[in-house]
PDB file of all heavy atoms in Angstrom:
ATOM      1  N   GLN A 489      -5.875  35.115   5.389  1.00  0.00           N
ATOM      2  CA  GLN A 489      -5.587  34.332   4.194  1.00  0.00           C
ATOM      3  C   GLN A 489      -6.549  33.157   4.053  1.00  0.00           C
ATOM      4  O   GLN A 489      -6.720  32.623   2.965  1.00  0.00           O
ATOM      5  CB  GLN A 489      -4.148  33.810   4.246  1.00  0.00           C
ATOM      6  CG  GLN A 489      -3.093  34.908   4.197  1.00  0.00           C
ATOM      7  CD  GLN A 489      -1.682  34.337   4.305  1.00  0.00           C
ATOM      8  OE1 GLN A 489      -1.457  33.354   5.004  1.00  0.00           O
ATOM      9  NE2 GLN A 489      -0.748  34.958   3.613  1.00  0.00           N
ATOM     10  N   ILE A 490      -7.144  32.753   5.160  1.00  0.00           N
ATOM     11  CA  ILE A 490      -8.047  31.597   5.142  1.00  0.00           C
ATOM     12  C   ILE A 490      -9.467  32.007   4.775  1.00  0.00           C
ATOM     13  O   ILE A 490     -10.075  31.454   3.848  1.00  0.00           O
ATOM     14  CB  ILE A 490      -8.055  30.901   6.521  1.00  0.00           C
ATOM     15  CG1 ILE A 490      -6.645  30.451   6.894  1.00  0.00           C
ATOM     16  CG2 ILE A 490      -9.027  29.728   6.514  1.00  0.00           C
ATOM     17  CD1 ILE A 490      -6.539  29.952   8.315  1.00  0.00           C
ATOM     18  N   TYR A 491     -10.022  32.979   5.494  1.00  0.00           N
ATOM     19  CA  TYR A 491     -11.458  33.255   5.407  1.00  0.00           C
ATOM     20  C   TYR A 491     -11.836  34.269   4.332  1.00  0.00           C
ATOM     21  O   TYR A 491     -12.939  34.203   3.793  1.00  0.00           O
ATOM     22  CB  TYR A 491     -11.970  33.720   6.768  1.00  0.00           C
ATOM     23  CG  TYR A 491     -11.729  32.699   7.854  1.00  0.00           C
ATOM     24  CD1 TYR A 491     -10.954  32.994   8.968  1.00  0.00           C
ATOM     25  CD2 TYR A 491     -12.270  31.420   7.755  1.00  0.00           C
ATOM     26  CE1 TYR A 491     -10.728  32.046   9.956  1.00  0.00           C
ATOM     27  CE2 TYR A 491     -12.052  30.467   8.729  1.00  0.00           C
ATOM     28  CZ  TYR A 491     -11.277  30.789   9.830  1.00  0.00           C
ATOM     29  OH  TYR A 491     -11.048  29.843  10.797  1.00  0.00           O
ATOM     30  N   GLU A 492     -10.967  35.181   3.999  1.00  0.00           N
ATOM     31  CA  GLU A 492     -11.315  36.163   2.969  1.00  0.00           C
ATOM     32  C   GLU A 492     -11.552  35.514   1.616  1.00  0.00           C
ATOM     33  O   GLU A 492     -12.514  35.873   0.919  1.00  0.00           O
ATOM     34  CB  GLU A 492     -10.237  37.243   2.885  1.00  0.00           C
ATOM     35  CG  GLU A 492     -10.686  38.434   2.050  1.00  0.00           C
ATOM     36  CD  GLU A 492      -9.775  39.647   2.233  1.00  0.00           C
ATOM     37  OE1 GLU A 492      -8.677  39.474   2.796  1.00  0.00           O
ATOM     38  OE2 GLU A 492     -10.171  40.735   1.802  1.00  0.00           O
ATOM     39  N   PRO A 493     -10.729  34.513   1.200  1.00  0.00           N
ATOM     40  CA  PRO A 493     -11.023  33.833  -0.072  1.00  0.00           C
ATOM     41  C   PRO A 493     -12.376  33.111  -0.065  1.00  0.00           C
ATOM     42  O   PRO A 493     -13.009  32.989  -1.113  1.00  0.00           O
ATOM     43  CB  PRO A 493      -9.869  32.837  -0.205  1.00  0.00           C
ATOM     44  CG  PRO A 493      -8.753  33.440   0.582  1.00  0.00           C
ATOM     45  CD  PRO A 493      -9.425  34.092   1.747  1.00  0.00           C
ATOM     46  N   ILE A 494     -12.805  32.623   1.099  1.00  0.00           N
ATOM     47  CA  ILE A 494     -14.111  31.960   1.186  1.00  0.00           C
ATOM     48  C   ILE A 494     -15.214  32.958   0.901  1.00  0.00           C
ATOM     49  O   ILE A 494     -16.161  32.678   0.148  1.00  0.00           O
ATOM     50  CB  ILE A 494     -14.301  31.325   2.579  1.00  0.00           C
ATOM     51  CG1 ILE A 494     -13.284  30.198   2.782  1.00  0.00           C
ATOM     52  CG2 ILE A 494     -15.721  30.793   2.750  1.00  0.00           C
ATOM     53  CD1 ILE A 494     -13.299  29.602   4.173  1.00  0.00           C
ATOM     54  N   LEU A 495     -15.112  34.159   1.489  1.00  0.00           N
ATOM     55  CA  LEU A 495     -16.113  35.210   1.239  1.00  0.00           C
ATOM     56  C   LEU A 495     -16.077  35.639  -0.228  1.00  0.00           C
ATOM     57  O   LEU A 495     -17.126  35.849  -0.853  1.00  0.00           O
ATOM     58  CB  LEU A 495     -15.859  36.391   2.158  1.00  0.00           C
ATOM     59  CG  LEU A 495     -16.120  36.139   3.650  1.00  0.00           C
ATOM     60  CD1 LEU A 495     -15.539  37.263   4.494  1.00  0.00           C
ATOM     61  CD2 LEU A 495     -17.600  35.984   3.924  1.00  0.00           C
ATOM     62  N   ASN A 496     -14.875  35.767  -0.791  1.00  0.00           N
ATOM     63  CA  ASN A 496     -14.747  36.153  -2.198  1.00  0.00           C
ATOM     64  C   ASN A 496     -15.396  35.131  -3.121  1.00  0.00           C
ATOM     65  O   ASN A 496     -15.919  35.480  -4.188  1.00  0.00           O
ATOM     66  CB  ASN A 496     -13.274  36.318  -2.560  1.00  0.00           C
ATOM     67  CG  ASN A 496     -12.634  37.512  -1.870  1.00  0.00           C
ATOM     68  OD1 ASN A 496     -13.341  38.434  -1.448  1.00  0.00           O
ATOM     69  ND2 ASN A 496     -11.317  37.501  -1.740  1.00  0.00           N
ATOM     70  N   LYS A 497     -15.347  33.871  -2.715  1.00  0.00           N
ATOM     71  CA  LYS A 497     -15.945  32.799  -3.521  1.00  0.00           C
ATOM     72  C   LYS A 497     -17.432  33.040  -3.743  1.00  0.00           C
ATOM     73  O   LYS A 497     -17.973  32.733  -4.819  1.00  0.00           O
ATOM     74  CB  LYS A 497     -15.718  31.461  -2.815  1.00  0.00           C
ATOM     75  CG  LYS A 497     -16.457  30.287  -3.415  1.00  0.00           C
ATOM     76  CD  LYS A 497     -16.258  29.035  -2.560  1.00  0.00           C
ATOM     77  CE  LYS A 497     -17.120  27.880  -3.043  1.00  0.00           C
ATOM     78  NZ  LYS A 497     -16.967  26.682  -2.163  1.00  0.00           N
ATOM     79  N   TYR A 498     -18.097  33.581  -2.746  1.00  0.00           N
ATOM     80  CA  TYR A 498     -19.542  33.846  -2.836  1.00  0.00           C
ATOM     81  C   TYR A 498     -19.843  35.295  -3.215  1.00  0.00           C
ATOM     82  O   TYR A 498     -21.007  35.710  -3.215  1.00  0.00           O
ATOM     83  CB  TYR A 498     -20.209  33.512  -1.497  1.00  0.00           C
ATOM     84  CG  TYR A 498     -20.164  32.033  -1.175  1.00  0.00           C
ATOM     85  CD1 TYR A 498     -19.154  31.515  -0.372  1.00  0.00           C
ATOM     86  CD2 TYR A 498     -21.112  31.154  -1.703  1.00  0.00           C
ATOM     87  CE1 TYR A 498     -19.093  30.155  -0.082  1.00  0.00           C
ATOM     88  CE2 TYR A 498     -21.059  29.796  -1.418  1.00  0.00           C
ATOM     89  CZ  TYR A 498     -20.044  29.304  -0.606  1.00  0.00           C
ATOM     90  OH  TYR A 498     -19.992  27.956  -0.324  1.00  0.00           O
ATOM     91  N   GLY A 499     -18.806  36.073  -3.515  1.00  0.00           N
ATOM     92  CA  GLY A 499     -19.014  37.443  -3.974  1.00  0.00           C
ATOM     93  C   GLY A 499     -19.200  38.460  -2.870  1.00  0.00           C
ATOM     94  O   GLY A 499     -19.820  39.520  -3.103  1.00  0.00           O
ATOM     95  N   TYR A 500     -18.683  38.156  -1.692  1.00  0.00           N
ATOM     96  CA  TYR A 500     -18.838  39.075  -0.559  1.00  0.00           C
ATOM     97  C   TYR A 500     -17.479  39.432   0.029  1.00  0.00           C
ATOM     98  O   TYR A 500     -16.453  38.798  -0.276  1.00  0.00           O
ATOM     99  CB  TYR A 500     -19.727  38.456   0.513  1.00  0.00           C
ATOM    100  CG  TYR A 500     -21.157  38.247   0.067  1.00  0.00           C
ATOM    101  CD1 TYR A 500     -21.606  36.996  -0.351  1.00  0.00           C
ATOM    102  CD2 TYR A 500     -22.048  39.311   0.052  1.00  0.00           C
ATOM    103  CE1 TYR A 500     -22.916  36.809  -0.771  1.00  0.00           C
ATOM    104  CE2 TYR A 500     -23.362  39.141  -0.364  1.00  0.00           C
ATOM    105  CZ  TYR A 500     -23.779  37.881  -0.778  1.00  0.00           C
ATOM    106  OH  TYR A 500     -25.079  37.709  -1.193  1.00  0.00           O
ATOM    107  N   THR A 501     -17.494  40.441   0.903  1.00  0.00           N
ATOM    108  CA  THR A 501     -16.275  40.908   1.568  1.00  0.00           C
ATOM    109  C   THR A 501     -16.424  40.736   3.076  1.00  0.00           C
ATOM    110  O   THR A 501     -17.540  40.523   3.583  1.00  0.00           O
ATOM    111  CB  THR A 501     -16.034  42.394   1.259  1.00  0.00           C
ATOM    112  OG1 THR A 501     -17.097  43.177   1.850  1.00  0.00           O
ATOM    113  CG2 THR A 501     -15.974  42.641  -0.248  1.00  0.00           C
ATOM    114  N   PRO A 502     -15.328  40.817   3.817  1.00  0.00           N
ATOM    115  CA  PRO A 502     -15.419  40.748   5.279  1.00  0.00           C
ATOM    116  C   PRO A 502     -16.356  41.806   5.860  1.00  0.00           C
ATOM    117  O   PRO A 502     -17.059  41.555   6.835  1.00  0.00           O
ATOM    118  CB  PRO A 502     -13.974  40.967   5.729  1.00  0.00           C
ATOM    119  CG  PRO A 502     -13.159  40.450   4.603  1.00  0.00           C
ATOM    120  CD  PRO A 502     -13.915  40.816   3.373  1.00  0.00           C
ATOM    121  N   GLU A 503     -16.353  42.991   5.250  1.00  0.00           N
ATOM    122  CA  GLU A 503     -17.252  44.054   5.734  1.00  0.00           C
ATOM    123  C   GLU A 503     -18.713  43.675   5.525  1.00  0.00           C
ATOM    124  O   GLU A 503     -19.579  44.016   6.341  1.00  0.00           O
ATOM    125  CB  GLU A 503     -16.939  45.364   5.026  1.00  0.00           C
ATOM    126  CG  GLU A 503     -17.742  46.557   5.529  1.00  0.00           C
ATOM    127  CD  GLU A 503     -17.521  46.853   6.985  1.00  0.00           C
ATOM    128  OE1 GLU A 503     -16.446  46.535   7.504  1.00  0.00           O
ATOM    129  OE2 GLU A 503     -18.448  47.390   7.628  1.00  0.00           O
ATOM    130  N   ASP A 504     -19.026  42.963   4.423  1.00  0.00           N
ATOM    131  CA  ASP A 504     -20.396  42.493   4.188  1.00  0.00           C
ATOM    132  C   ASP A 504     -20.829  41.542   5.295  1.00  0.00           C
ATOM    133  O   ASP A 504     -21.982  41.585   5.757  1.00  0.00           O
ATOM    134  CB  ASP A 504     -20.485  41.774   2.833  1.00  0.00           C
ATOM    135  CG  ASP A 504     -20.254  42.710   1.663  1.00  0.00           C
ATOM    136  OD1 ASP A 504     -20.542  43.912   1.803  1.00  0.00           O
ATOM    137  OD2 ASP A 504     -19.775  42.226   0.622  1.00  0.00           O
ATOM    138  N   LEU A 505     -19.917  40.667   5.734  1.00  0.00           N
ATOM    139  CA  LEU A 505     -20.242  39.731   6.803  1.00  0.00           C
ATOM    140  C   LEU A 505     -20.511  40.478   8.110  1.00  0.00           C
ATOM    141  O   LEU A 505     -21.472  40.176   8.814  1.00  0.00           O
ATOM    142  CB  LEU A 505     -19.094  38.731   6.984  1.00  0.00           C
ATOM    143  CG  LEU A 505     -19.283  37.700   8.096  1.00  0.00           C
ATOM    144  CD1 LEU A 505     -20.506  36.828   7.831  1.00  0.00           C
ATOM    145  CD2 LEU A 505     -18.045  36.821   8.231  1.00  0.00           C
ATOM    146  N   ARG A 506     -19.674  41.448   8.396  1.00  0.00           N
ATOM    147  CA  ARG A 506     -19.870  42.228   9.622  1.00  0.00           C
ATOM    148  C   ARG A 506     -21.189  42.978   9.582  1.00  0.00           C
ATOM    149  O   ARG A 506     -21.921  43.025  10.582  1.00  0.00           O
ATOM    150  CB  ARG A 506     -18.707  43.214   9.778  1.00  0.00           C
ATOM    151  CG  ARG A 506     -18.786  44.038  11.046  1.00  0.00           C
ATOM    152  CD  ARG A 506     -17.566  44.910  11.172  1.00  0.00           C
ATOM    153  NE  ARG A 506     -17.587  45.642  12.420  1.00  0.00           N
ATOM    154  CZ  ARG A 506     -16.635  46.474  12.800  1.00  0.00           C
ATOM    155  NH1 ARG A 506     -15.570  46.657  12.039  1.00  0.00           N
ATOM    156  NH2 ARG A 506     -16.705  47.109  13.953  1.00  0.00           N
ATOM    157  N   TYR A 507     -21.515  43.540   8.446  1.00  0.00           N
ATOM    158  CA  TYR A 507     -22.767  44.282   8.274  1.00  0.00           C
ATOM    159  C   TYR A 507     -23.972  43.345   8.438  1.00  0.00           C
ATOM    160  O   TYR A 507     -24.957  43.681   9.086  1.00  0.00           O
ATOM    161  CB  TYR A 507     -22.773  44.932   6.893  1.00  0.00           C
ATOM    162  CG  TYR A 507     -24.044  45.657   6.557  1.00  0.00           C
ATOM    163  CD1 TYR A 507     -24.376  46.878   7.174  1.00  0.00           C
ATOM    164  CD2 TYR A 507     -24.934  45.145   5.609  1.00  0.00           C
ATOM    165  CE1 TYR A 507     -25.548  47.545   6.861  1.00  0.00           C
ATOM    166  CE2 TYR A 507     -26.101  45.795   5.281  1.00  0.00           C
ATOM    167  CZ  TYR A 507     -26.413  46.999   5.909  1.00  0.00           C
ATOM    168  OH  TYR A 507     -27.572  47.655   5.610  1.00  0.00           O
ATOM    169  N   THR A 508     -23.854  42.128   7.857  1.00  0.00           N
ATOM    170  CA  THR A 508     -24.960  41.159   7.937  1.00  0.00           C
ATOM    171  C   THR A 508     -25.188  40.706   9.370  1.00  0.00           C
ATOM    172  O   THR A 508     -26.335  40.637   9.841  1.00  0.00           O
ATOM    173  CB  THR A 508     -24.657  39.938   7.053  1.00  0.00           C
ATOM    174  OG1 THR A 508     -24.480  40.365   5.711  1.00  0.00           O
ATOM    175  CG2 THR A 508     -25.787  38.929   7.112  1.00  0.00           C
ATOM    176  N   ILE A 509     -24.109  40.390  10.090  1.00  0.00           N
ATOM    177  CA  ILE A 509     -24.235  39.949  11.474  1.00  0.00           C
ATOM    178  C   ILE A 509     -24.834  41.061  12.336  1.00  0.00           C
ATOM    179  O   ILE A 509     -25.681  40.826  13.202  1.00  0.00           O
ATOM    180  CB  ILE A 509     -22.864  39.522  12.042  1.00  0.00           C
ATOM    181  CG1 ILE A 509     -22.285  38.346  11.236  1.00  0.00           C
ATOM    182  CG2 ILE A 509     -22.991  39.142  13.520  1.00  0.00           C
ATOM    183  CD1 ILE A 509     -23.147  37.120  11.221  1.00  0.00           C
ATOM    184  N   GLY A 510     -24.416  42.307  12.057  1.00  0.00           N
ATOM    185  CA  GLY A 510     -24.959  43.443  12.814  1.00  0.00           C
ATOM    186  C   GLY A 510     -26.436  43.645  12.583  1.00  0.00           C
ATOM    187  O   GLY A 510     -27.159  44.112  13.479  1.00  0.00           O
ATOM    188  N   ASN A 511     -26.919  43.301  11.420  1.00  0.00           N
ATOM    189  CA  ASN A 511     -28.332  43.484  11.091  1.00  0.00           C
ATOM    190  C   ASN A 511     -29.247  42.427  11.703  1.00  0.00           C
ATOM    191  O   ASN A 511     -30.467  42.576  11.682  1.00  0.00           O
ATOM    192  CB  ASN A 511     -28.532  43.492   9.577  1.00  0.00           C
ATOM    193  CG  ASN A 511     -28.241  44.857   8.982  1.00  0.00           C
ATOM    194  OD1 ASN A 511     -28.094  45.854   9.697  1.00  0.00           O
ATOM    195  ND2 ASN A 511     -28.135  44.898   7.656  1.00  0.00           N
ATOM    196  N   PHE A 512     -28.668  41.304  12.175  1.00  0.00           N
ATOM    197  CA  PHE A 512     -29.503  40.232  12.730  1.00  0.00           C
ATOM    198  C   PHE A 512     -30.339  40.734  13.903  1.00  0.00           C
ATOM    199  O   PHE A 512     -31.477  40.321  14.089  1.00  0.00           O
ATOM    200  CB  PHE A 512     -28.630  39.056  13.178  1.00  0.00           C
ATOM    201  CG  PHE A 512     -28.525  37.978  12.128  1.00  0.00           C
ATOM    202  CD1 PHE A 512     -27.487  37.985  11.207  1.00  0.00           C
ATOM    203  CD2 PHE A 512     -29.470  36.968  12.055  1.00  0.00           C
ATOM    204  CE1 PHE A 512     -27.391  37.010  10.247  1.00  0.00           C
ATOM    205  CE2 PHE A 512     -29.377  35.985  11.088  1.00  0.00           C
ATOM    206  CZ  PHE A 512     -28.335  36.003  10.169  1.00  0.00           C
ATOM    207  N   SER A 513     -29.775  41.617  14.709  1.00  0.00           N
ATOM    208  CA  SER A 513     -30.507  42.113  15.877  1.00  0.00           C
ATOM    209  C   SER A 513     -31.663  43.023  15.487  1.00  0.00           C
ATOM    210  O   SER A 513     -32.587  43.240  16.280  1.00  0.00           O
ATOM    211  CB  SER A 513     -29.553  42.862  16.809  1.00  0.00           C
ATOM    212  OG  SER A 513     -28.963  43.968  16.133  1.00  0.00           O
ATOM    213  N   ARG A 514     -31.667  43.546  14.263  1.00  0.00           N
ATOM    214  CA  ARG A 514     -32.720  44.458  13.821  1.00  0.00           C
ATOM    215  C   ARG A 514     -33.768  43.771  12.962  1.00  0.00           C
ATOM    216  O   ARG A 514     -34.759  44.367  12.600  1.00  0.00           O
ATOM    217  CB  ARG A 514     -32.087  45.615  13.033  1.00  0.00           C
ATOM    218  CG  ARG A 514     -31.204  46.509  13.896  1.00  0.00           C
ATOM    219  CD  ARG A 514     -30.767  47.760  13.143  1.00  0.00           C
ATOM    220  NE  ARG A 514     -29.821  47.457  12.076  1.00  0.00           N
ATOM    221  CZ  ARG A 514     -28.509  47.425  12.261  1.00  0.00           C
ATOM    222  NH1 ARG A 514     -27.989  47.668  13.452  1.00  0.00           N
ATOM    223  NH2 ARG A 514     -27.696  47.146  11.251  1.00  0.00           N
ATOM    224  N   ARG A 515     -33.519  42.483  12.625  1.00  0.00           N
ATOM    225  CA  ARG A 515     -34.484  41.742  11.812  1.00  0.00           C
ATOM    226  C   ARG A 515     -35.291  40.803  12.694  1.00  0.00           C
ATOM    227  O   ARG A 515     -34.742  39.924  13.346  1.00  0.00           O
ATOM    228  CB  ARG A 515     -33.744  40.933  10.733  1.00  0.00           C
ATOM    229  CG  ARG A 515     -33.092  41.821   9.672  1.00  0.00           C
ATOM    230  CD  ARG A 515     -32.069  41.045   8.864  1.00  0.00           C
ATOM    231  NE  ARG A 515     -32.632  39.803   8.300  1.00  0.00           N
ATOM    232  CZ  ARG A 515     -31.905  38.828   7.804  1.00  0.00           C
ATOM    233  NH1 ARG A 515     -30.566  38.919   7.819  1.00  0.00           N
ATOM    234  NH2 ARG A 515     -32.484  37.748   7.317  1.00  0.00           N
ATOM    235  N   LYS A 516     -36.616  40.997  12.715  1.00  0.00           N
ATOM    236  CA  LYS A 516     -37.469  40.203  13.602  1.00  0.00           C
ATOM    237  C   LYS A 516     -37.474  38.727  13.227  1.00  0.00           C
ATOM    238  O   LYS A 516     -37.534  37.846  14.094  1.00  0.00           O
ATOM    239  CB  LYS A 516     -38.897  40.751  13.554  1.00  0.00           C
ATOM    240  CG  LYS A 516     -39.031  42.148  14.124  1.00  0.00           C
ATOM    241  CD  LYS A 516     -40.483  42.601  14.071  1.00  0.00           C
ATOM    242  CE  LYS A 516     -40.628  44.003  14.647  1.00  0.00           C
ATOM    243  NZ  LYS A 516     -42.029  44.477  14.610  1.00  0.00           N
ATOM    244  N   SER A 517     -37.437  38.443  11.922  1.00  0.00           N
ATOM    245  CA  SER A 517     -37.536  37.043  11.480  1.00  0.00           C
ATOM    246  C   SER A 517     -36.183  36.345  11.418  1.00  0.00           C
ATOM    247  O   SER A 517     -36.113  35.155  11.160  1.00  0.00           O
ATOM    248  CB  SER A 517     -38.201  36.979  10.095  1.00  0.00           C
ATOM    249  OG  SER A 517     -37.408  37.692   9.153  1.00  0.00           O
ATOM    250  N   ALA A 518     -35.104  37.073  11.664  1.00  0.00           N
ATOM    251  CA  ALA A 518     -33.775  36.497  11.511  1.00  0.00           C
ATOM    252  C   ALA A 518     -33.274  35.911  12.824  1.00  0.00           C
ATOM    253  O   ALA A 518     -33.436  36.523  13.877  1.00  0.00           O
ATOM    254  CB  ALA A 518     -32.802  37.555  11.008  1.00  0.00           C
ATOM    255  N   GLN A 519     -32.698  34.716  12.750  1.00  0.00           N
ATOM    256  CA  GLN A 519     -32.089  34.062  13.915  1.00  0.00           C
ATOM    257  C   GLN A 519     -30.733  33.488  13.508  1.00  0.00           C
ATOM    258  O   GLN A 519     -30.653  32.638  12.635  1.00  0.00           O
ATOM    259  CB  GLN A 519     -32.988  32.937  14.432  1.00  0.00           C
ATOM    260  CG  GLN A 519     -34.307  33.428  15.021  1.00  0.00           C
ATOM    261  CD  GLN A 519     -35.118  32.284  15.580  1.00  0.00           C
ATOM    262  OE1 GLN A 519     -34.669  31.144  15.605  1.00  0.00           O
ATOM    263  NE2 GLN A 519     -36.320  32.588  16.041  1.00  0.00           N
ATOM    264  N   LEU A 520     -29.693  34.019  14.130  1.00  0.00           N
ATOM    265  CA  LEU A 520     -28.353  33.563  13.800  1.00  0.00           C
ATOM    266  C   LEU A 520     -28.175  32.084  14.144  1.00  0.00           C
ATOM    267  O   LEU A 520     -27.508  31.342  13.438  1.00  0.00           O
ATOM    268  CB  LEU A 520     -27.313  34.404  14.550  1.00  0.00           C
ATOM    269  CG  LEU A 520     -25.848  34.094  14.239  1.00  0.00           C
ATOM    270  CD1 LEU A 520     -25.556  34.246  12.754  1.00  0.00           C
ATOM    271  CD2 LEU A 520     -24.926  34.988  15.060  1.00  0.00           C
ATOM    272  N   GLY A 521     -28.839  31.656  15.244  1.00  0.00           N
ATOM    273  CA  GLY A 521     -28.755  30.252  15.639  1.00  0.00           C
ATOM    274  C   GLY A 521     -29.286  29.322  14.564  1.00  0.00           C
ATOM    275  O   GLY A 521     -28.744  28.226  14.348  1.00  0.00           O
ATOM    276  N   ARG A 522     -30.338  29.744  13.864  1.00  0.00           N
ATOM    277  CA  ARG A 522     -30.907  28.919  12.793  1.00  0.00           C
ATOM    278  C   ARG A 522     -29.917  28.778  11.644  1.00  0.00           C
ATOM    279  O   ARG A 522     -29.786  27.704  11.046  1.00  0.00           O
ATOM    280  CB  ARG A 522     -32.210  29.553  12.313  1.00  0.00           C
ATOM    281  CG  ARG A 522     -32.871  28.821  11.155  1.00  0.00           C
ATOM    282  CD  ARG A 522     -34.260  29.379  10.907  1.00  0.00           C
ATOM    283  NE  ARG A 522     -34.223  30.813  10.714  1.00  0.00           N
ATOM    284  CZ  ARG A 522     -33.900  31.410   9.556  1.00  0.00           C
ATOM    285  NH1 ARG A 522     -33.572  30.661   8.516  1.00  0.00           N
ATOM    286  NH2 ARG A 522     -33.905  32.711   9.440  1.00  0.00           N
TER     287      ARG A 522
END
Side-chain angles (χ1 to χ4, degrees):
Q489 295 178 325
I490 302 171
Y491 301 120
E492 192 166 13
I494 295 174
L495 292 167
N496 292 338
K497 171 185 173 183
Y498 294 95
Y500 294 100
T501 66
E503 184 60 27
D504 294 332
L505 179 61
R506 182 176 184 179
Y507 176 72
T508 301
I509 299 301
N511 277 348
F512 264 92
S513 60
R514 294 189 290 271
R515 292 164 53 195
K516 294 181 180 180
S517 61
Q519 293 183 4
L520 183 57
R522 177 170 54 81

